[in-house]
Amino acid sequence: MITVTNVSVNFSGQPLFKDVDLKFTPGNCYGIIGANGAGKSTFLRVLSGDLEPSTGSVSYPPDMRMSVLKQDHFAYDEYTVLDTIIMGNPRLYEIMKEKDALYAKEDFTDEDGIRASELEGEFAELDGWEAETNAGRLLQGLGLSQDILYDSMASMSAKEKVKILLAQALFGDPEIILLDEPTNHLDIQAIDWLEDFLLDYSGLVIVVSHDRHFLNTVCTNIVDVDYGKITMYVGNYEFWYQSSQLMQKMIKDQNKRKEDKIKELQSFIQRFSANKSKSKQATARRKLLDKLTVEEMPASSRRYPYVGFTMDREAGKELLTVENLSKTVDGVKVLNNISFRVNKDDKIAFVGENELANTTLFKIIMGELEPDEGTYKWGTTTSQSYFPLDNSAFFDDCDLNLVQWLGQYTEETTETFMRSFLGRMLFSGDDVYKPVKVLSGGEKVRCMLSRMMLFGANILILDQPTNHLDLESITAVNNGLIDFKGNVLFASHDHEFINTIANRIMEITPDGLIDRLSTYDDYIVWKRENMPGA
């Protein structure tokens, strides 16, 4: 159990959150949610002991081991993958190093033998003899080969390091696991495995995540950071979201009824206050009006951008035909004889582990790359708008501010229009004059979405559009693509995003293309039944 008592955190004299009193109990998984900047990761740091709160305390039994997902991908470059994972249990790693040092001594004494015996006993209790096997299983579950166990961390790619550090956090059956954005940069198969791991885990898990499907699958409770407070609710994210939306609607309806009643009373007072026969009644109603106050909606820190795509014209029957496309990148054949035809109303999700294949295909059909073999053809009535995986070319070395940057993509460049459009995308006040090169990752994504909305295209191509976005922005993009009347081709690792938008699933494999007319959930079931080794 973790007990949080009267915890507050202040930065520069301003409270981030205050008076937090919570209990986290074993057997549960708690999802921490809140707008960007609300204090989710800060609260996780307070729970881990990495940050001292301004007031209050956090306590948990001294015999319980807490494991935290590390964020520094270079911290273990001097170690092997196996050592890095075993460091997830610091005591086991300490014993192993001490044992190795003892057995390496040339003058091994009786005292050394006694100490070695003690260490061997504790080593066995901590399941040390199975450490390598268990580390390998974690790697395998996350989609990495056990063959890398003795390779150096420095030789690993950024995505491999993400998985190795996650394996470190899960290693050795800790009683408490704290995870900050564990699904970032994981493919869907690895996320599925992590969900199963946490569902089977009997300890206490606290996780910060923007992945709605993940939160819905693993969480028993939601911890909401908002209004400068931290509140715990029973249930998963979907239950919290639906309940909060219902509550907001009830408050709004209640306020609307009150406001209507106030207007009725004000109208009555105005009409009859000068009428002697009605003056007593008017006075009584004025008193009633004085007592009636409209309950103010809490000023939530959550802000939802407006994401809506409209077509300047509808496309005809001929949309996109791809025939026998092949492409080799850096000596690896990422597209192998790919053929498909896009039909009316198709919203196609490109899934699977091979991100490079999806990105390469998108670049080819958008004219940014030439295929080695094959052809593609857009219908003459189509217009395309593209959200690339890497948007740095649009912002790096660019000295324009937001208004000037967006003005490149619209004929309507009046101050009123630009400020109004940017305001709907959560850029307000002087923010619209910020240089675009200093924007955060999430702000750049909102800029790219704004650019797409201005084009009026009837076919949208989006490569990982939810990267860097918070839950509110992801929800807005999700709903915008559901409502869009044209065609969508997109790649994503967000299960909920794919399942609610796509009506057709494609997966590029080394052998070619899997193409299914189905939801993503149905595709997963089909794949398990028909391709059990995949």
Side-chain angles (χ1 to χ4, degrees):
M1 178 190 294
I2 298 178
T3 303
V4 179
T5 307
N6 193 35
V7 161
S8 301
V9 171
N10 300 323
F11 287 128
S12 302
Q14 295 298 315
L16 189 61
F17 47 77
K18 60 182 181 179
D19 306 327
V20 180
D21 292 288
L22 297 173
K23 285 187 178 179
F24 299 89
T25 57
N28 289 312
C29 178
Y30 299 85
I32 302 178
I33 63 170
N36 282 351
K40 303 182 297 294
S41 295
T42 299
F43 184 53
L44 207 64
R45 288 180 62 204
V46 170
L47 294 177
S48 70
D50 184 49
L51 178 67
E52 190 73 23
S54 304
T55 68
S57 63
V58 174
S59 62
Y60 60 93
D63 60 337
M64 296 182 76
R65 181 166 68 86
M66 177 184 289
S67 185
V68 181
L69 175 59
K70 302 295 192 301
Q71 301 297 327
D72 185 352
H73 296 171
F74 302 100
Y76 300 91
D77 279 359
E78 62 185 277
Y79 300 98
T80 65
V81 171
L82 179 60
D83 279 352
T84 301
I85 295 173
I86 293 176
M87 284 181 196
N89 187 338
R91 180 56 187 156
L92 176 59
Y93 185 74
E94 190 179 287
I95 290 169
M96 290 172 62
K97 293 296 116 180
E98 188 176 350
K99 274 177 52 185
D100 291 345
L102 279 175
Y103 292 139
K105 289 178 68 174
E106 293 183 4
D107 54 342
F108 192 81
T109 66
D110 291 342
E111 289 76 9
D112 291 335
I114 294 170
R115 179 57 181 160
S117 177
E118 292 170 349
L119 292 172
E120 291 289 3
E122 192 175 354
F123 180 77
E125 287 177 7
L126 293 174
D127 207 19
W129 295 112
E130 297 298 320
E132 182 174 342
T133 301
N134 293 335
R137 284 175 183 158
L138 290 170
L139 286 181
Q140 202 166 25
L142 290 165
L144 297 178
S145 170
Q146 298 185 54
D147 295 340
I148 67 170
L149 280 171
Y150 288 94
D151 293 344
S152 73
M153 283 291 286
S155 68
M156 297 293 111
S157 69
K159 289 188 176 180
E160 288 169 334
K161 286 181 177 180
V162 166
K163 292 183 176 183
I164 294 164
L165 291 179
L166 182 54
Q168 180 194 70
L170 304 178
F171 177 78
D173 298 320
E175 285 80 14
I176 302 169
I177 299 176
L178 304 187
L179 304 172
D180 193 354
E181 297 291 357
T183 62
N184 275 5
H185 309 295
L186 292 188
D187 52 72
I188 288 173
Q189 288 76 12
I191 294 172
D192 287 345
W193 177 88
L194 178 59
E195 289 173 352
D196 291 339
F197 181 95
L198 294 179
L199 287 171
D200 291 337
Y201 175 70
S202 60
L204 164 59
V205 182
I206 303 175
V207 58
V208 172
S209 178
H210 288 151
D211 187 322
R212 294 164 297 167
H213 184 271
F214 180 75
L215 291 172
N216 284 333
T217 302
V218 303
C219 289
T220 58
N221 299 73
I222 293 296
V223 179
D224 184 26
V225 185
D226 203 3
Y227 315 113
K229 300 186 296 186
I230 301 181
T231 311
M232 185 184 294
Y233 300 92
V234 174
N236 64 8
Y237 175 77
E238 186 65 24
F239 183 81
W240 170 86
Y241 179 76
Q242 295 293 344
S243 299
S244 67
Q245 293 296 300
L246 178 61
M247 183 59 69
Q248 293 286 332
K249 185 177 185 304
M250 287 172 62
I251 293 172
K252 286 179 181 177
D253 289 347
Q254 184 182 37
N255 285 347
K256 182 66 167 61
R257 289 194 297 272
K258 286 185 178 181
E259 287 167 354
D260 289 344
K261 187 66 175 174
I262 287 171
K263 288 177 182 177
E264 178 190 337
L265 291 172
Q266 287 173 332
S267 176
F268 181 89
I269 291 166
Q270 186 176 9
R271 283 186 290 116
F272 295 108
S273 59
N275 188 319
K276 289 183 179 179
S277 65
K278 299 282 187 178
S279 61
K280 286 185 179 179
Q281 200 173 359
T283 301
R285 295 207 178 193
R286 188 181 286 111
K287 288 180 179 178
L288 179 60
L289 182 63
D290 290 340
K291 292 180 181 178
L292 192 64
T293 59
V294 179
E295 182 180 348
E296 291 186 4
M297 289 286 290
S300 172
S301 59
R302 284 185 173 79
R303 301 170 67 203
Y304 290 82
Y306 171 78
V307 179
F309 302 97
T310 56
M311 301 181 289
D312 288 343
R313 67 169 180 174
E314 192 171 336
K317 291 183 179 180
E318 295 297 321
L319 299 173
L320 172 65
T321 302
V322 173
E323 292 185 347
N324 309 119
L325 276 189
S326 294
K327 182 68 177 179
T328 297
V329 178
D330 295 332
V332 178
K333 196 165 192 176
V334 294
L335 298 178
N336 183 16
N337 199 32
I338 301 298
S339 299
F340 63 89
R341 180 187 178 93
V342 176
N343 304 310
K344 197 75 171 172
D345 300 323
D346 275 351
K347 291 186 177 179
I348 305 171
F350 288 81
V351 303
E353 295 183 32
N354 196 345
E355 285 183 19
L356 181 58
N358 299 331
T359 297
T360 302
L361 174 65
F362 290 163
K363 284 184 174 181
I364 288 173
I365 63 175
M366 291 308 297
E368 293 187 3
L369 275 181
E370 287 293 327
D372 296 335
E373 299 173 31
T375 61
Y376 69 92
K377 182 180 180 182
W378 289 105
T380 56
T381 60
T382 65
S383 53
Q384 304 86 35
S385 186
Y386 178 40
F387 182 101
L389 178 64
D390 181 4
N391 60 38
S392 58
F394 291 87
F395 301 100
D396 292 356
D397 302 321
C398 180
D399 294 323
L400 300 179
N401 64 34
L402 261 170
V403 171
Q404 295 165 333
W405 185 89
L406 196 62
Q408 301 172 102
Y409 308 110
T410 175
E411 295 178 1
E412 176 60 87
T413 57
T414 63
E415 181 86 359
T416 302
F417 172 80
M418 300 297 284
R419 290 186 72 102
S420 174
F421 195 95
L422 288 167
R424 292 190 302 172
M425 292 303 286
L426 308 185
F427 296 106
S428 57
D430 291 338
D431 284 349
V432 300
Y433 300 116
K434 285 167 63 173
V436 295
K437 63 185 176 185
V438 303
L439 297 178
S440 69
E443 288 173 328
K444 288 177 180 177
V445 169
R446 283 187 271 128
C447 281
M448 294 299 291
L449 292 168
S450 299
R451 173 180 174 271
M452 291 186 76
M453 285 188 277
L454 289 169
F455 283 164
N458 49 35
I459 298 181
L460 307 179
I461 300 96
L462 303 103
D463 198 353
Q464 305 290 346
T466 63
N467 287 357
H468 306 293
L469 293 183
D470 57 19
L471 276 167
E472 290 71 42
S473 296
I474 291 170
T475 301
V477 179
N478 200 156
N479 293 338
L481 292 177
I482 290 172
D483 294 339
F484 180 56
K485 304 305 181 187
N487 289 82
V488 183
L489 285 70
F490 70 101
S492 177
H493 288 157
D494 187 314
H495 187 120
E496 189 77 8
F497 194 80
I498 298 170
N499 200 51
T500 53
I501 296 169
N503 55 21
R504 186 175 175 186
I505 307 295
M506 291 189 185
E507 182 172 355
I508 299 172
T509 73
D511 299 322
L513 182 72
I514 302 173
D515 184 357
R516 300 282 300 176
L517 281 171
S518 74
T519 65
Y520 184 57
D521 279 346
D522 289 341
Y523 175 76
I524 291 172
V525 172
W526 173 86
K527 192 175 179 184
R528 284 173 179 166
E529 291 175 349
N530 293 273
M531 305 175 70

